[in-house]
Amino acid sequence: MWQVVARFYPPEQFPAPTDVVKALVELSADGVLWGHIGVSLARFGSAYLLALVTAVPLGLLLGRQPLARCAVDPLIQLLRPISPIAWFPLAVLWFGIGNAPAVFIIFLSVFFPILVSTISAVVKVPVIYLKVAANFGTRPLPTFLRVVVPAAFPGIMVGLHIGVGTGWIHLVAGEMLGAQSGLGFMIIDARNFLRTDWILAGMLVVGLLGLLINRVMRLAELWLGRRWGGAA
């Protein structure tokens, strides 16, 4: 259908799939595409890992401490609805032009979904699990590590999956706004040269990489689930 519809438009306005494939070959041959992919993956990976190691422990803590959760929840609900893109002027002011603003934007887009999902998952751990652990004389720390964390794991993974989607979207947006490299920059730079075939090629690569990251996360989820007895 794409190939047929493209026949009614000039290539500069709506390139055909064959033109996009040629653009991918062109970008790959001179190494431009691989360089942008590497930069984007490095930015996303560092921001996602930073959000993971901060949001999950904080969510586990707040989920187990009702008083702390009640105290912090208004601040979370205040900051969570603010679009990460709205922070971009301040990010540039604080960190300058380069990797740091994009990493900051990705971090914000990933942090809150993971945090909220982790808190919710811990709060929803069945009380009977904790009572059984207490009846067996399990101490608080082993109960937390061997009961609460595995029981909350499916809910935490929901937040991690949501974080991948929102983080990858805001990666491209952040690179469009202020970076000088990456897939977002490649797409916006192609627009300046009216290379719509490069634009669609970049969009296709973004989608394929997002699919690949999701599949890798799914495999990691299944592996951890089997270790904790939560998956077949």
Side-chain angles (χ1 to χ4, degrees):
M1 290 178 62
W2 179 4
Q3 184 72 37
V4 171
V5 172
R7 294 177 178 272
F8 299 94
Y9 295 91
E12 297 79 12
Q13 185 176 0
F14 189 67
T18 51
D19 297 325
V20 175
V21 172
K22 292 177 182 177
L24 285 171
V25 173
E26 179 184 356
L27 291 168
S28 302
D30 57 14
V32 172
L33 179 62
W34 304 113
H36 289 308
I37 289 176
V39 170
S40 291
L41 289 176
R43 286 179 181 140
F44 176 79
S46 58
Y48 190 87
L49 181 62
L50 182 60
L52 178 66
V53 300
T54 54
V56 171
L58 182 59
L60 292 172
L61 174 64
L62 294 178
R64 293 290 293 161
Q65 300 294 331
L67 291 178
R69 183 169 68 251
C70 292
V72 176
D73 185 69
L75 179 62
I76 295 175
Q77 302 307 325
L78 173 68
L79 296 176
R80 187 168 63 93
I82 300 175
S83 171
I85 300 300
W87 289 90
F88 195 81
L90 290 176
V92 173
L93 182 64
W94 292 338
F95 304 112
I97 299 296
N99 286 328
V103 171
F104 178 71
I105 296 301
I106 301 165
F107 170 82
L108 287 178
S109 67
V110 174
F111 177 81
F112 288 106
I114 295 179
L115 177 64
V116 172
S117 295
T118 302
I119 294 174
S120 177
V122 174
V123 170
K124 293 179 180 178
V125 171
V127 179
I128 189 65
Y129 293 179
L130 305 178
K131 290 182 177 180
V132 170
N135 289 338
F136 279 98
T138 310
R139 295 181 178 274
L141 183 58
T143 298
F144 178 76
L145 295 177
R146 299 178 182 179
V147 177
V148 174
V149 174
F153 174 71
I156 296 173
M157 283 305 305
V158 171
L160 295 181
H161 281 290
I162 295 174
V164 165
T166 57
W168 194 246
I169 290 170
H170 286 90
L171 162 76
V172 177
E175 290 178 340
M176 284 182 172
L177 290 173
Q180 299 298 314
S181 59
L183 292 170
F185 170 78
M186 186 187 80
I187 291 172
I188 205 69
D189 192 51
R191 181 204 64 180
N192 297 332
F193 292 97
L194 298 178
R195 291 297 304 267
T196 50
D197 53 343
W198 285 14
I199 293 174
L200 288 177
M203 292 168 61
L204 181 61
V205 171
V206 167
L208 291 174
L209 287 175
L211 176 62
L212 177 61
I213 293 171
N214 182 268
R215 291 291 185 268
V216 171
M217 282 198 61
R218 179 59 180 164
L219 292 175
E221 178 183 3
L222 292 174
W223 179 76
L224 287 172
R226 291 191 185 98
R227 289 197 62 187
W228 284 329

